[in-house]
Amino acid sequence: NSEYVMAEGLRKVQTDTWDAAEAGSMGELPDQETRGKMEVDPMFKLDYNSKKKVVPEKIRKSDLRELYAMSKDREDEYALNANLRRTFRTMKKEELAREAEEARPKNFSFPLAEEDPADAVEARRVQFTTDHAKIGAALRRQAKVAESIFVKKGQAKKVDLACKHRKLLLAQRIQARSKEAGAYY
């Protein structure tokens, strides 16, 4: 192995090597002679493997004791944490309710009643009487806008007839809606 020569702005990073024996994940592999005996004699193989497994069982028992003790300690922490989360959830609900209350309009000197679906249905059914004078003025305005500046004698009557036709259609629509909804007069 060779190393590179460092230039400007670089620094050397420590390299760690992994050793299976240090980690304890894998024991030493048997040498060639032992492997040969294990292939030939199954009882030797069983004996050899059982001797290697005795030590990990002792280690496992001590690890289990440590885990049990640690879980006992953590049990209280879990209960405290669960209680704290429950408290935060209730606080969050209260805060959201307070924000919703603050978001409601405050234009009146008295508090508004809650919305009721029955009120909304009734409000859709109510139609108020219309001011026919305003409708007539709007139709005359519309006729003037649609009318050409250069009106010939015969065309003026046609524009008036179209205006009257629109007016009749509008009146018919208003009457039909008021009959359907049972409007108040």
Side-chain angles (χ1 to χ4, degrees):
N1 290 338
S2 60
E3 290 189 26
Y4 291 98
V5 176
M6 299 285 179
E8 298 178 24
L10 300 174
R11 59 186 169 167
K12 188 172 182 176
V13 178
Q14 181 182 359
T15 55
D16 293 330
T17 56
W18 185 76
D19 186 16
E22 280 183 28
S25 63
M26 181 183 245
E28 291 183 29
L29 295 175
D31 58 345
Q32 194 70 4
E33 185 180 321
T34 311
R35 268 192 261 160
K37 285 182 182 178
M38 287 172 63
E39 287 176 13
V40 175
D41 187 8
M43 291 304 284
F44 177 76
K45 182 178 180 180
L46 181 66
D47 188 40
Y48 182 80
N49 286 336
S50 65
K51 285 179 184 175
K52 286 178 73 175
K53 289 182 181 177
V54 170
V55 174
E57 285 180 19
K58 290 179 184 176
I59 293 172
R60 278 190 216 140
K61 287 181 183 177
S62 65
D63 286 348
L64 283 174
R65 284 187 199 109
E66 289 175 17
L67 282 173
Y68 183 73
M70 188 170 65
S71 70
K72 279 292 191 184
D73 294 342
R74 302 269 176 161
E75 191 174 317
D76 294 335
E77 291 177 17
Y78 175 77
L80 291 172
N81 192 358
N83 195 9
L84 187 63
R85 285 193 316 249
R86 189 179 313 111
T87 306
F88 283 147
R89 279 194 296 271
T90 55
M91 286 174 51
K92 186 176 181 180
K93 285 179 186 176
E94 291 170 359
E95 185 177 330
L96 288 174
R98 194 171 38 250
E99 286 176 3
E101 184 64 33
E102 290 173 2
R104 292 183 75 179
K106 295 179 178 63
N107 298 339
F108 303 102
S109 59
F110 53 91
L112 295 177
E114 293 294 321
E115 288 184 26
D116 186 22
D119 292 339
V121 170
E122 187 176 345
R124 278 190 221 106
R125 283 192 293 149
V126 173
Q127 287 191 359
F128 299 97
T129 57
T130 56
D131 188 0
H132 294 288
K134 287 184 181 179
I135 292 173
L139 287 173
R140 283 192 298 277
R141 213 176 304 117
Q142 188 179 16
K144 288 289 183 186
V145 169
E147 182 179 299
S148 173
I149 304 173
F150 308 105
V151 179
K152 295 180 183 175
K153 290 181 183 178
Q155 286 181 341
K157 287 185 179 182
K158 288 181 183 176
V159 171
D160 270 347
L161 284 174
C163 233
K164 286 180 183 178
H165 182 66
R166 282 190 212 123
K167 188 175 181 180
L168 283 172
L169 288 175
L170 183 64
Q172 287 173 354
R173 274 189 254 141
I174 290 172
Q175 266 186 342
R177 285 184 187 163
S178 64
K179 283 181 183 177
E180 287 174 6
Y184 302 104
Y185 289 102

